[in-house]
Amino acid sequence: MKKALLLLFVSVSICSWGQITAKISGNIFNAKTDSVYLSQFFGTHYKNSFGGKIDKNGNFEISGTVPSQDYYVLRIGDYDVNLIIRDKSDIKVYGDGSKLSQFVNIVNSEESSNMFKFVQVLNRWQSKSDSATAIVKADPSKQEEVRREMAAAFQQFQSATKSFIARNPNSPALYAAVNAIDGQNDFPTYEAVVKQLVTVFGDSPAIQQLNKNYLGAKAQIQANDRFAPGKEAPDFEEALADGKTMKLSDLRGKVVLLDFWASWCGPCRRENPNVVRLYEKYKDKGFTVMSVSLDKDRQRWLDAIEKDNLSWPYHVSDLKFWSSKAAKLYGVSGIPFTVLIDQEGKIIRTKLRGEDLANELARLLGS
């Protein structure tokens, strides 16, 4: 079985070669091979860019051209060290050839060094996961015991991933974390990492492919999301405080903040002064608020409206608490929850509060 560091970086085809120069040198003592190569990995095979010999003392120096700034692997026998190559890179690599997966020192490329350290974290997690699978396969009775152990180990791995992301903002090294992020359950983190990579290393073919994958995933999520920006806000009819009824669609032609709240909701009450301030600022520019209360006590609802000076006229509730029809329609699982809707009844954004809401209204209606 091939002994190698986890190969994270699968390259993509590019048209032109020889645009970027790079030099890699260093010392690999106890080397099990006399050759080193800077290569790209294409999923099933490598393509060498350039290479050279390791002398009897472990010293080597190789230089040449690569097709673009991108992610490469320094191949040392059966081991691969992931490197970030930029134009005129002059990277030094030192290590123990008998245990390169444990000991490698990368100099003159802090981003490559940081990436390598996280690759080690990934390798340890993968090894632990493979071991757990083997244990359960050999003895199914240990499944629950292994599950508990792996749940704790996974939490540690996720913590290490978040720490790595936080310590390496706007660094190409973040590419190592992409496969560690659960994009389905934590798309915002995945999106934030991809955007940073596109900003800082967008000419990398690997990042261009990653961005293409991200945009496809986002489009699919939005297609499946009833409340994605640009979708029509679901209409509903509800009772006003005076007993009459109104529909959300009655407010077409205005920018509407659909605000789910309740008198018993502390965060909602703390946010109310901000909503009042923005209403007073923009009401003459076509902005209004439709408040949907999840109260079940009518008097407490009305008292909160008066006490918080919620001066807009559109307050509705069926007084059914979490069983509110409007709240169910919008999938509300926590409050405050807001939906900003444009003049045509289409969703602009959800979950806007505080400064974010103020900035969005300034963009739409002017400061």
Side-chain angles (χ1 to χ4, degrees), residues 148-167:
R148 288 194 300 269
E149 292 180 0
M150 289 303 294
F154 181 70
Q155 289 299 319
Q156 293 177 347
F157 173 60
Q158 288 293 291
S159 178
T161 300
K162 291 178 181 178
S163 178
F164 172 74
I165 292 171
R167 291 196 313 269

mmCIF file of all heavy atoms in Angstrom, residues 148-167:
data_model
loop_
_atom_site.group_PDB
_atom_site.id
_atom_site.type_symbol
_atom_site.label_atom_id
_atom_site.label_comp_id
_atom_site.label_asym_id
_atom_site.label_seq_id
_atom_site.Cartn_x
_atom_site.Cartn_y
_atom_site.Cartn_z
ATOM 1 N N ARG A 148 -19.658 6.186 19.866
ATOM 2 C CA ARG A 148 -19.470 7.206 20.897
ATOM 3 C C ARG A 148 -18.069 7.810 20.825
ATOM 4 O O ARG A 148 -17.892 9.025 20.935
ATOM 5 C CB ARG A 148 -19.724 6.616 22.284
ATOM 6 C CG ARG A 148 -21.195 6.313 22.578
ATOM 7 C CD ARG A 148 -21.414 6.071 24.063
ATOM 8 N NE ARG A 148 -20.622 4.951 24.555
ATOM 9 C CZ ARG A 148 -21.055 3.689 24.595
ATOM 10 N NH1 ARG A 148 -22.275 3.400 24.161
ATOM 11 N NH2 ARG A 148 -20.285 2.729 25.064
ATOM 12 N N GLU A 149 -17.086 6.949 20.653
ATOM 13 C CA GLU A 149 -15.712 7.435 20.564
ATOM 14 C C GLU A 149 -15.514 8.333 19.342
ATOM 15 O O GLU A 149 -14.862 9.385 19.419
ATOM 16 C CB GLU A 149 -14.739 6.256 20.502
ATOM 17 C CG GLU A 149 -14.659 5.459 21.796
ATOM 18 C CD GLU A 149 -13.686 4.298 21.684
ATOM 19 O OE1 GLU A 149 -13.093 4.133 20.595
ATOM 20 O OE2 GLU A 149 -13.525 3.561 22.665
ATOM 21 N N MET A 150 -16.092 7.934 18.235
ATOM 22 C CA MET A 150 -15.926 8.702 17.014
ATOM 23 C C MET A 150 -16.691 10.029 17.055
ATOM 24 O O MET A 150 -16.271 11.019 16.452
ATOM 25 C CB MET A 150 -16.363 7.881 15.804
ATOM 26 C CG MET A 150 -15.420 6.732 15.473
ATOM 27 S SD MET A 150 -13.723 7.291 15.173
ATOM 28 C CE MET A 150 -13.941 8.258 13.679
ATOM 29 N N ALA A 151 -17.799 10.056 17.760
ATOM 30 C CA ALA A 151 -18.554 11.305 17.904
ATOM 31 C C ALA A 151 -17.704 12.347 18.623
ATOM 32 O O ALA A 151 -17.650 13.521 18.227
ATOM 33 C CB ALA A 151 -19.856 11.067 18.655
ATOM 34 N N ALA A 152 -17.016 11.909 19.692
ATOM 35 C CA ALA A 152 -16.145 12.826 20.427
ATOM 36 C C ALA A 152 -14.949 13.241 19.569
ATOM 37 O O ALA A 152 -14.554 14.414 19.553
ATOM 38 C CB ALA A 152 -15.666 12.167 21.721
ATOM 39 N N ALA A 153 -14.384 12.279 18.848
ATOM 40 C CA ALA A 153 -13.235 12.578 17.983
ATOM 41 C C ALA A 153 -13.631 13.531 16.861
ATOM 42 O O ALA A 153 -12.851 14.415 16.475
ATOM 43 C CB ALA A 153 -12.671 11.285 17.405
ATOM 44 N N PHE A 154 -14.847 13.361 16.335
ATOM 45 C CA PHE A 154 -15.313 14.225 15.259
ATOM 46 C C PHE A 154 -15.467 15.668 15.745
ATOM 47 O O PHE A 154 -15.149 16.616 15.014
ATOM 48 C CB PHE A 154 -16.635 13.715 14.694
ATOM 49 C CG PHE A 154 -17.164 14.534 13.555
ATOM 50 C CD1 PHE A 154 -16.538 14.514 12.319
ATOM 51 C CD2 PHE A 154 -18.279 15.339 13.718
ATOM 52 C CE1 PHE A 154 -17.007 15.283 11.262
ATOM 53 C CE2 PHE A 154 -18.762 16.107 12.670
ATOM 54 C CZ PHE A 154 -18.124 16.073 11.440
ATOM 55 N N GLN A 155 -15.958 15.828 16.978
ATOM 56 C CA GLN A 155 -16.090 17.169 17.532
ATOM 57 C C GLN A 155 -14.728 17.841 17.648
ATOM 58 O O GLN A 155 -14.577 19.036 17.351
ATOM 59 C CB GLN A 155 -16.769 17.105 18.908
ATOM 60 C CG GLN A 155 -18.245 16.758 18.857
ATOM 61 C CD GLN A 155 -19.060 17.769 18.082
ATOM 62 O OE1 GLN A 155 -18.837 18.975 18.194
ATOM 63 N NE2 GLN A 155 -20.013 17.296 17.290
ATOM 64 N N GLN A 156 -13.718 17.076 18.052
ATOM 65 C CA GLN A 156 -12.362 17.611 18.144
ATOM 66 C C GLN A 156 -11.848 17.994 16.754
ATOM 67 O O GLN A 156 -11.189 19.027 16.583
ATOM 68 C CB GLN A 156 -11.433 16.587 18.796
ATOM 69 C CG GLN A 156 -11.753 16.314 20.261
ATOM 70 C CD GLN A 156 -10.857 15.238 20.855
ATOM 71 O OE1 GLN A 156 -10.157 14.524 20.135
ATOM 72 N NE2 GLN A 156 -10.890 15.114 22.169
ATOM 73 N N PHE A 157 -12.133 17.148 15.771
ATOM 74 C CA PHE A 157 -11.699 17.419 14.400
ATOM 75 C C PHE A 157 -12.374 18.680 13.860
ATOM 76 O O PHE A 157 -11.717 19.531 13.233
ATOM 77 C CB PHE A 157 -12.026 16.218 13.515
ATOM 78 C CG PHE A 157 -11.766 16.445 12.050
ATOM 79 C CD1 PHE A 157 -10.493 16.751 11.586
ATOM 80 C CD2 PHE A 157 -12.804 16.364 11.135
ATOM 81 C CE1 PHE A 157 -10.258 16.976 10.224
ATOM 82 C CE2 PHE A 157 -12.574 16.578 9.789
ATOM 83 C CZ PHE A 157 -11.299 16.885 9.333
ATOM 84 N N GLN A 158 -13.662 18.828 14.119
ATOM 85 C CA GLN A 158 -14.377 20.017 13.668
ATOM 86 C C GLN A 158 -13.840 21.278 14.347
ATOM 87 O O GLN A 158 -13.714 22.330 13.720
ATOM 88 C CB GLN A 158 -15.870 19.869 13.957
ATOM 89 C CG GLN A 158 -16.579 18.864 13.071
ATOM 90 C CD GLN A 158 -16.639 19.322 11.629
ATOM 91 O OE1 GLN A 158 -17.336 20.267 11.292
ATOM 92 N NE2 GLN A 158 -15.901 18.655 10.767
ATOM 93 N N SER A 159 -13.498 21.148 15.625
ATOM 94 C CA SER A 159 -12.923 22.276 16.348
ATOM 95 C C SER A 159 -11.571 22.673 15.748
ATOM 96 O O SER A 159 -11.280 23.864 15.587
ATOM 97 C CB SER A 159 -12.761 21.915 17.828
ATOM 98 O OG SER A 159 -12.163 22.968 18.542
ATOM 99 N N ALA A 160 -10.764 21.668 15.408
ATOM 100 C CA ALA A 160 -9.462 21.936 14.794
ATOM 101 C C ALA A 160 -9.632 22.600 13.431
ATOM 102 O O ALA A 160 -8.865 23.501 13.057
ATOM 103 C CB ALA A 160 -8.671 20.638 14.660
ATOM 104 N N THR A 161 -10.651 22.172 12.682
ATOM 105 C CA THR A 161 -10.917 22.764 11.369
ATOM 106 C C THR A 161 -11.311 24.232 11.502
ATOM 107 O O THR A 161 -10.807 25.097 10.782
ATOM 108 C CB THR A 161 -12.027 21.980 10.646
ATOM 109 O OG1 THR A 161 -11.626 20.622 10.478
ATOM 110 C CG2 THR A 161 -12.333 22.589 9.287
ATOM 111 N N LYS A 162 -12.212 24.523 12.422
ATOM 112 C CA LYS A 162 -12.653 25.904 12.631
ATOM 113 C C LYS A 162 -11.494 26.784 13.087
ATOM 114 O O LYS A 162 -11.374 27.944 12.671
ATOM 115 C CB LYS A 162 -13.796 25.944 13.644
ATOM 116 C CG LYS A 162 -15.090 25.336 13.127
ATOM 117 C CD LYS A 162 -16.172 25.354 14.192
ATOM 118 C CE LYS A 162 -17.461 24.720 13.662
ATOM 119 N NZ LYS A 162 -18.529 24.684 14.702
ATOM 120 N N SER A 163 -10.647 26.228 13.947
ATOM 121 C CA SER A 163 -9.480 26.978 14.421
ATOM 122 C C SER A 163 -8.531 27.282 13.268
ATOM 123 O O SER A 163 -8.005 28.399 13.160
ATOM 124 C CB SER A 163 -8.760 26.176 15.510
ATOM 125 O OG SER A 163 -7.606 26.844 15.953
ATOM 126 N N PHE A 164 -8.315 26.297 12.391
ATOM 127 C CA PHE A 164 -7.443 26.494 11.234
ATOM 128 C C PHE A 164 -7.994 27.582 10.318
ATOM 129 O O PHE A 164 -7.253 28.451 9.852
ATOM 130 C CB PHE A 164 -7.304 25.176 10.468
ATOM 131 C CG PHE A 164 -6.590 25.300 9.150
ATOM 132 C CD1 PHE A 164 -5.215 25.484 9.100
ATOM 133 C CD2 PHE A 164 -7.294 25.233 7.957
ATOM 134 C CE1 PHE A 164 -4.553 25.613 7.881
ATOM 135 C CE2 PHE A 164 -6.644 25.343 6.734
ATOM 136 C CZ PHE A 164 -5.271 25.537 6.705
ATOM 137 N N ILE A 165 -9.289 27.562 10.082
ATOM 138 C CA ILE A 165 -9.924 28.569 9.221
ATOM 139 C C ILE A 165 -9.775 29.952 9.839
ATOM 140 O O ILE A 165 -9.463 30.930 9.145
ATOM 141 C CB ILE A 165 -11.403 28.220 8.993
ATOM 142 C CG1 ILE A 165 -11.517 26.943 8.153
ATOM 143 C CG2 ILE A 165 -12.137 29.373 8.307
ATOM 144 C CD1 ILE A 165 -12.928 26.395 8.057
ATOM 145 N N ALA A 166 -9.983 30.048 11.149
ATOM 146 C CA ALA A 166 -9.893 31.342 11.826
ATOM 147 C C ALA A 166 -8.471 31.892 11.827
ATOM 148 O O ALA A 166 -8.268 33.108 11.743
ATOM 149 C CB ALA A 166 -10.404 31.213 13.256
ATOM 150 N N ARG A 167 -7.472 30.995 11.906
ATOM 151 C CA ARG A 167 -6.079 31.438 11.986
ATOM 152 C C ARG A 167 -5.486 31.766 10.617
ATOM 153 O O ARG A 167 -4.391 32.336 10.548
ATOM 154 C CB ARG A 167 -5.206 30.363 12.650
ATOM 155 C CG ARG A 167 -5.468 30.140 14.126
ATOM 156 C CD ARG A 167 -4.314 29.375 14.755
ATOM 157 N NE ARG A 167 -3.915 28.231 13.956
ATOM 158 C CZ ARG A 167 -4.404 27.001 14.082
ATOM 159 N NH1 ARG A 167 -5.346 26.765 14.977
ATOM 160 N NH2 ARG A 167 -3.965 26.012 13.317
#
